[in-house]
Amino acid sequence: MASPVQVISFGALEEQIGGLKFSLRKNDFDACSYSVDSLSDGFVECGDTLPGYAKMKAVDVRQEQVGDVWVYSAEYKGFKNPLESLRVFSRSESSPSEGFDNIALSIATTMDTTHPLLARGAGVPNDDSLPFMFIMDRTKDVSEVAGFNVMNLQLRGLLGDKPYTRRVNGNNVTMQPEGNWTIGNATNPLGESVLGTNVSVPTEISMAKITVVDSFVTTSTPPWAGIPGNFTPENAPEVAELSFTTSGSVLYHWPFGWRRANVSTEQLPGKNIWFISITYEFQQKILPG
């Protein structure tokens, strides 16, 4: 058995029993077992610092009286390295097909939420590889380890290159223009025959209103100034442009063709990063009035 190591504390002669036994961990607190004899009741208490290790704190203390001597066996947790101030306990990432990407971090730290590394809008703590991820939400629990907080951080933004998502709708539009109309046979862009009425009568006309909604995350400013205006979306679906010859009334539309119809956005607070949905629609130039 190793000889007791004499430790001077509070002006009294104390004897450490055996050596320190550390358990070093990557995703949890480090731990250490420490035993000592003392003539003092209460010489070791929960929250005390392990001698020589400023960030190791007693979390479980057992004491036994043997004659006039108290024997203490204590478990300590914290960071063995006194220069360490933050450790990631767990990390998960999600990148949905639409919307902001997310990182969830669980950390232990000696810092508070007032520290710049943990402020809302700060980046991933101690990680410069993801410049477009930012802390948005935080929860804090006071740890059993004295002087430490356990925090859950929710970060949002953009993990990396991400394609846009697209939805295409063909909503039916029905109109009943005044007067008599003659609809001739036609062929649509797919080469399919569309039979006409081939007679001049009051007519109900049905057609599709084609809309495209593209959604993406970007650091570019949304194109609000592009409304109204013509803009053909990338890889736009093929749409038949209609023409009418009639003695009845017609209505001209402006702007016609492909155009931006709506821009909806969500911006991360204080950051130049946006989730944008742009609605494009194809507007026929002339329709029955």
Side-chain angles (χ1 to χ4, degrees):
M1 177 177 176
S3 300
V5 178
Q6 294 184 340
V7 179
I8 301 297
S9 181
F10 302 116
L13 180 65
E14 313 295 342
E15 292 183 343
Q16 178 179 323
I17 304 172
L20 300 177
K21 298 177 182 178
F22 279 96
S23 295
L24 304 181
R25 296 160 179 162
K26 181 179 180 181
N27 300 120
D28 203 343
F29 286 115
D30 299 329
C32 181
S33 298
Y34 171 71
S35 298
V36 64
D37 291 344
S38 174
L39 295 175
S40 303
D41 183 10
F43 175 67
V44 180
E45 296 181 338
C46 288
D48 286 353
T49 301
L50 179 65
Y53 297 91
K55 292 186 179 179
M56 296 292 296
K57 305 293 182 177
V59 295
D60 184 46
V61 178
R62 297 173 298 282
Q63 67 178 84
E64 179 183 0
Q65 188 175 22
V66 181
D68 293 332
V69 177
W70 290 92
V71 179
Y72 295 88
S73 298
E75 295 296 324
Y76 291 76
K77 290 184 179 181
F79 298 159
K80 181 174 181 287
N81 181 354
L83 300 180
E84 185 177 4
S85 59
L86 183 151
R87 183 177 297 180
V88 176
F89 281 2
S90 67
R91 171 173 172 159
S92 64
E93 298 180 1
S94 65
S95 182
S97 61
E98 185 171 305
F100 291 114
D101 297 330
N102 301 278
I103 294 178
L105 291 179
S106 176
I107 67 169
T109 180
T110 55
M111 299 181 288
D112 203 348
T113 52
T114 55
H115 193 282
L117 276 179
L118 302 176
R120 281 191 175 88
V124 183
N126 298 333
D127 185 351
D128 296 329
S129 66
L130 297 170
F132 300 116
M133 296 297 298
F134 305 99
I135 296 172
M136 291 290 111
D137 299 292
R138 305 167 300 181
T139 60
K140 182 181 77 170
D141 295 316
V142 177
S143 171
E144 65 168 344
V145 184
F148 283 83
N149 294 311
V150 175
M151 297 186 188
N152 293 311
L153 307 179
Q154 300 294 325
L155 296 90
R156 303 176 73 197
L158 187 62
L159 288 169
D161 292 340
K162 187 174 185 176
Y164 64 82
T165 59
R166 168 169 288 184
R167 294 181 176 85
V168 180
N169 297 304
N171 298 316
N172 185 58
V173 177
T174 301
M175 58 191 71
Q176 293 179 306
E178 296 179 358
N180 294 331
W181 291 75
T182 301
I183 307 295
N185 296 334
T187 301
N188 66 23
L190 297 180
E192 300 167 339
S193 296
V194 183
L195 297 179
T197 61
N198 296 309
V199 60
S200 180
V201 292
T203 304
E204 179 182 90
I205 300 174
S206 296
M207 62 183 64
K209 182 81 165 184
I210 305 299
T211 61
V212 172
V213 181
D214 287 344
S215 300
F216 51 94
V217 178
T218 180
T219 57
S220 300
T221 302
W224 293 299
I227 302 175
N230 292 107
F231 191 90
T232 302
E234 182 180 358
N235 299 318
E238 188 173 8
V239 181
E241 295 189 38
L242 305 179
S243 61
F244 294 90
T245 301
T246 177
S247 60
S249 64
V250 294
L251 185 66
Y252 283 77
H253 292 265
W254 178 90
F256 56 86
W258 281 109
R259 63 182 185 178
R260 292 189 189 94
N262 183 62
V263 177
S264 62
T265 67
E266 179 186 358
Q267 181 184 14
L268 291 185
K271 300 297 176 181
N272 190 33
I273 185 166
W274 310 77
F275 171 55
I276 302 176
S277 289
I278 302 179
T279 301
Y280 307 92
E281 64 180 18
F282 186 86
Q283 176 61 59
Q284 298 289 344
K285 182 178 180 179
I286 304 174
L287 288 175

